[in-house]
Amino acid sequence: GQNIDQPTEMTATEGAIVQINCTYQTSGFNGLFWYQQHAGEAPTFLSYNVLDGLEEKGRFSSFLSRSKGYSYLLLKELQMKDSASYLCAVRDRMDSSYKLIFGSGTRLLVRP
Amino acid sequence: GAVVSQHPSWVICKSGTSVKIECRSLDFQATTMFWYRQFPKQSLMLMATSNEGSKATYEQGVEKDKFLINHASLTLSTLTVTSAHPEDSSFYICSARDFSGSLGTPTDTQYFGPGTRLTVL
Protein backbone atom coordinates (compact mmCIF):
# COMPACT_ATOMS: atom_id res chain seq x y z
CA GLY A 1 0.00 0.00 0.00
CA GLN A 2 0.89 3.66 -0.01
CA ASN A 3 1.08 6.11 2.87
CA ILE A 4 2.05 9.77 2.83
CA ASP A 5 2.41 11.86 5.98
CA GLN A 6 2.66 15.61 6.36
CA PRO A 7 2.10 17.93 9.32
CA THR A 8 -1.42 19.29 9.35
CA GLU A 9 -0.64 22.91 10.07
CA MET A 10 2.36 25.20 10.42
CA THR A 11 2.75 28.86 11.30
CA ALA A 12 5.66 31.11 10.37
CA THR A 13 6.57 34.78 10.27
CA GLU A 14 6.88 36.93 7.18
CA GLY A 15 10.48 37.00 5.98
CA ALA A 16 11.41 33.78 7.76
CA ILE A 17 12.23 30.32 6.43
CA VAL A 18 9.95 27.32 6.86
CA GLN A 19 10.48 23.64 6.10
CA ILE A 20 7.54 21.35 5.39
CA ASN A 21 8.32 17.66 5.73
CA CYS A 22 6.78 14.72 3.93
CA THR A 23 7.39 11.04 4.55
CA TYR A 24 6.10 8.34 2.27
CA GLN A 25 5.84 4.61 1.81
CA THR A 26 5.21 3.13 -1.61
CA SER A 27 5.67 -0.21 -3.27
CA GLY A 28 7.74 1.39 -6.04
CA PHE A 29 8.81 5.03 -6.09
CA ASN A 30 8.68 7.00 -9.33
CA GLY A 31 8.84 10.66 -8.38
CA LEU A 32 7.58 13.13 -5.80
CA PHE A 33 5.75 16.37 -6.50
CA TRP A 34 4.98 19.40 -4.39
CA TYR A 35 1.93 21.51 -5.15
CA GLN A 36 0.63 24.75 -3.64
CA GLN A 37 -3.08 25.23 -3.19
CA HIS A 38 -4.77 28.44 -2.07
CA ALA A 39 -8.19 28.11 -0.51
CA GLY A 40 -10.89 27.50 -3.10
CA GLU A 41 -8.41 27.19 -5.94
CA ALA A 42 -6.78 24.32 -7.80
CA PRO A 43 -3.27 23.14 -6.93
CA THR A 44 -0.34 24.62 -8.82
CA PHE A 45 2.91 22.78 -9.53
CA LEU A 46 5.90 23.79 -7.41
CA SER A 47 8.60 21.16 -7.74
CA TYR A 48 9.51 17.63 -8.72
CA ASN A 49 12.15 15.26 -7.35
CA VAL A 50 12.98 11.80 -8.63
CA LEU A 51 16.67 11.60 -7.66
CA ASP A 52 18.20 12.23 -4.25
CA GLY A 53 19.23 15.76 -3.51
CA LEU A 54 18.06 19.34 -3.54
CA GLU A 55 16.18 21.09 -6.32
CA GLU A 56 16.18 24.87 -6.05
CA LYS A 57 13.77 27.21 -7.77
CA GLY A 58 13.85 30.76 -6.55
CA ARG A 59 12.49 31.02 -3.02
CA PHE A 60 11.40 27.39 -3.09
CA SER A 61 13.59 24.31 -2.74
CA SER A 62 12.69 20.67 -2.46
CA PHE A 63 14.81 17.85 -1.12
CA LEU A 64 14.48 14.10 -1.55
CA SER A 65 16.02 11.08 0.15
CA ARG A 66 14.71 7.90 -1.43
CA SER A 67 16.41 5.62 1.08
CA LYS A 68 14.61 7.37 3.91
CA GLY A 69 11.32 7.89 2.09
CA TYR A 70 11.58 11.54 2.97
CA SER A 71 11.18 14.90 1.29
CA TYR A 72 10.90 18.48 2.40
CA LEU A 73 9.83 21.73 0.83
CA LEU A 74 11.79 24.77 1.95
CA LEU A 75 10.30 28.23 1.58
CA LYS A 76 12.61 31.20 2.07
CA GLU A 77 11.84 34.89 2.58
CA LEU A 78 8.26 34.09 3.39
CA GLN A 79 5.59 36.40 2.05
CA MET A 80 1.99 36.76 3.15
CA LYS A 81 0.87 35.30 -0.17
CA ASP A 82 2.64 32.05 0.72
CA SER A 83 -0.19 31.29 3.14
CA ALA A 84 -1.70 28.22 1.49
CA SER A 85 -1.84 24.46 1.67
CA TYR A 86 1.17 22.54 0.44
CA LEU A 87 0.53 19.10 -0.96
CA CYS A 88 3.09 16.34 -1.22
CA ALA A 89 2.26 13.76 -3.91
CA VAL A 90 4.00 10.55 -4.87
CA ARG A 91 3.88 8.59 -8.10
CA ASP A 92 4.14 4.83 -7.83
CA ARG A 93 6.37 3.05 -10.34
CA MET A 94 4.16 0.01 -10.13
CA ASP A 95 1.17 1.95 -11.44
CA SER A 96 1.18 2.45 -15.20
CA SER A 97 -1.51 5.10 -15.08
CA TYR A 98 0.93 7.71 -13.70
CA LYS A 99 -1.58 8.68 -11.07
CA LEU A 100 -0.46 10.64 -8.04
CA ILE A 101 -1.26 9.85 -4.46
CA PHE A 102 -1.59 12.99 -2.39
CA GLY A 103 -0.82 13.55 1.24
CA SER A 104 -3.36 15.31 3.39
CA GLY A 105 -1.62 18.64 2.87
CA THR A 106 0.02 21.12 5.22
CA ARG A 107 -1.77 24.41 5.85
CA LEU A 108 0.80 27.16 6.23
CA LEU A 109 -0.13 30.43 7.86
CA VAL A 110 2.29 33.31 7.40
CA ARG A 111 1.92 36.06 9.97
CA PRO A 112 3.24 39.63 9.79
CA GLY B 1 -1.49 31.33 -17.99
CA ALA B 2 -3.86 28.48 -17.33
CA VAL B 3 -3.15 25.33 -19.29
CA VAL B 4 -6.20 23.38 -18.14
CA SER B 5 -9.70 24.81 -18.12
CA GLN B 6 -12.76 23.52 -16.35
CA HIS B 7 -16.38 24.41 -16.92
CA PRO B 8 -18.51 25.35 -15.16
CA SER B 9 -16.63 26.90 -12.25
CA TRP B 10 -19.62 26.46 -10.01
CA VAL B 11 -23.05 24.91 -10.29
CA ILE B 12 -26.10 24.61 -8.07
CA CYS B 13 -28.61 21.93 -8.92
CA LYS B 14 -31.61 20.15 -7.47
CA SER B 15 -31.36 16.70 -6.01
CA GLY B 16 -31.92 14.02 -8.64
CA THR B 17 -30.60 15.97 -11.59
CA SER B 18 -27.41 15.29 -13.53
CA VAL B 19 -24.50 17.65 -13.89
CA LYS B 20 -21.75 17.57 -16.52
CA ILE B 21 -18.32 19.04 -15.89
CA GLU B 22 -15.84 19.60 -18.72
CA CYS B 23 -12.07 19.54 -18.45
CA ARG B 24 -9.91 20.77 -21.34
CA SER B 25 -6.17 20.86 -21.81
CA LEU B 26 -5.33 24.07 -23.65
CA ASP B 27 -1.64 23.91 -24.50
CA PHE B 28 -0.95 20.22 -24.84
CA GLN B 29 -2.53 16.92 -25.67
CA ALA B 30 -3.52 14.81 -22.72
CA THR B 31 -4.02 11.10 -23.26
CA THR B 32 -4.65 10.80 -19.55
CA MET B 33 -6.72 13.03 -17.31
CA PHE B 34 -7.63 12.57 -13.68
CA TRP B 35 -10.70 13.51 -11.69
CA TYR B 36 -10.46 14.40 -8.02
CA ARG B 37 -12.89 15.36 -5.32
CA GLN B 38 -11.98 17.57 -2.42
CA PHE B 39 -14.00 18.26 0.71
CA PRO B 40 -13.32 21.37 2.83
CA LYS B 41 -9.92 21.35 4.53
CA GLN B 42 -9.14 17.91 3.15
CA SER B 43 -6.75 16.75 0.50
CA LEU B 44 -7.46 15.61 -3.01
CA MET B 45 -9.12 12.24 -3.36
CA LEU B 46 -8.59 10.59 -6.73
CA MET B 47 -11.87 9.39 -8.17
CA ALA B 48 -10.86 8.03 -11.54
CA THR B 49 -8.31 8.04 -14.32
CA SER B 50 -9.69 9.07 -17.69
CA ASN B 51 -7.99 7.54 -20.72
CA GLU B 52 -8.53 8.87 -24.22
CA GLY B 53 -10.33 6.35 -26.36
CA SER B 54 -10.89 3.78 -23.61
CA LYS B 55 -12.82 3.24 -20.44
CA ALA B 56 -12.00 5.15 -17.31
CA THR B 57 -10.37 3.43 -14.36
CA TYR B 58 -12.19 4.09 -11.12
CA GLU B 59 -10.70 4.08 -7.65
CA GLN B 60 -12.07 1.74 -5.05
CA GLY B 61 -15.35 2.94 -3.62
CA VAL B 62 -16.21 5.24 -6.52
CA GLU B 63 -19.43 4.28 -8.32
CA LYS B 64 -18.76 4.22 -12.05
CA ASP B 65 -22.48 4.33 -12.86
CA LYS B 66 -22.91 7.47 -10.83
CA PHE B 67 -19.80 9.31 -12.02
CA LEU B 68 -19.70 8.87 -15.77
CA ILE B 69 -16.45 9.77 -17.47
CA ASN B 70 -15.93 10.30 -21.17
CA HIS B 71 -12.58 11.14 -22.75
CA ALA B 72 -13.55 11.67 -26.36
CA SER B 73 -10.50 13.57 -27.55
CA LEU B 74 -6.93 14.33 -26.57
CA THR B 75 -7.98 17.64 -25.05
CA LEU B 76 -11.37 16.98 -23.47
CA SER B 77 -12.67 14.81 -20.65
CA THR B 78 -16.10 15.11 -19.08
CA LEU B 79 -17.42 14.00 -15.72
CA THR B 80 -21.18 13.59 -15.33
CA VAL B 81 -22.59 13.30 -11.84
CA THR B 82 -25.82 11.41 -12.35
CA SER B 83 -28.81 11.68 -10.03
CA ALA B 84 -26.92 14.06 -7.79
CA HIS B 85 -27.66 14.16 -4.06
CA PRO B 86 -26.62 16.64 -1.37
CA GLU B 87 -23.78 14.35 -0.27
CA ASP B 88 -22.26 14.79 -3.75
CA SER B 89 -21.72 18.47 -3.02
CA SER B 90 -17.99 19.02 -3.24
CA PHE B 91 -15.15 20.66 -5.12
CA TYR B 92 -14.36 18.63 -8.23
CA ILE B 93 -10.96 19.14 -9.81
CA CYS B 94 -9.54 17.65 -12.96
CA SER B 95 -5.93 17.38 -13.98
CA ALA B 96 -4.24 16.56 -17.26
CA ARG B 97 -0.95 14.78 -17.65
CA ASP B 98 1.65 16.35 -19.89
CA PHE B 99 3.51 13.23 -20.96
CA SER B 100 5.75 15.06 -23.40
CA GLY B 101 7.15 17.69 -21.07
CA SER B 102 6.37 20.25 -23.74
CA LEU B 103 5.52 22.92 -21.20
CA GLY B 104 9.00 23.05 -19.76
CA THR B 105 8.25 21.16 -16.57
CA PRO B 106 9.19 17.57 -15.79
CA THR B 107 7.61 14.91 -17.94
CA ASP B 108 4.33 13.64 -16.57
CA THR B 109 3.60 16.73 -14.53
CA GLN B 110 -0.08 17.00 -13.82
CA TYR B 111 -1.72 20.37 -14.45
CA PHE B 112 -4.90 21.10 -12.58
CA GLY B 113 -8.02 22.84 -13.74
CA PRO B 114 -9.50 25.64 -11.60
CA GLY B 115 -12.10 23.30 -10.14
CA THR B 116 -15.89 23.13 -10.12
CA ARG B 117 -17.83 23.72 -6.95
CA LEU B 118 -20.98 21.61 -7.00
CA THR B 119 -23.82 22.30 -4.60
CA VAL B 120 -26.77 19.95 -4.63
CA LEU B 121 -29.87 21.22 -2.90
Side-chain angles (χ1 to χ4, degrees), chain A residues 58-70:
Chain A
R59 295 190 299 114
F60 296 80
S61 303
S62 58
F63 172 83
L64 175 68
S65 169
R66 289 172 296 171
S67 62
K68 295 181 179 179
Y70 167 70

Side-chain angles (χ1 to χ4, degrees), chain A residues 42-56:
Chain A
T44 55
F45 170 78
L46 286 180
S47 68
Y48 170 72
N49 296 73
V50 67
L51 300 177
D52 290 350
L54 187 69
E55 294 284 339
E56 297 187 80

Side-chain angles (χ1 to χ4, degrees), chain A residues 33 35 37 40-43 45 48 87 91 97-100 102-105 107, chain B residues 34 36 38 41 43-44 46 59 91 93 97 105-106 108-110 112-114 117:
Chain A
F33 293 79
Y35 284 85
Q37 184 180 26
E41 299 180 11
F45 170 78
Y48 170 72
L87 308 176
R91 185 170 63 209
S97 70
Y98 300 95
K99 67 184 181 184
L100 297 178
F102 283 84
S104 56
R107 287 193 299 276
Chain B
F34 303 88
Y36 297 84
Q38 187 176 35
K41 296 187 177 182
S43 191
L44 300 170
L46 180 64
E59 294 299 302
F91 192 49
I93 307 176
R97 170 182 157 243
T105 53
D108 289 329
T109 296
Q110 284 189 30
F112 287 84
R117 188 161 301 284

Side-chain angles (χ1 to χ4, degrees), chain A residues 2-3 5 8 21 28 52 58 81 83 85 87 92 98 105:
Chain A
Q2 298 160 325
N3 190 43
D5 289 317
T8 303
N21 297 325
D52 290 350
K81 66 178 182 179
S83 292
S85 286
L87 308 176
D92 192 332
Y98 300 95

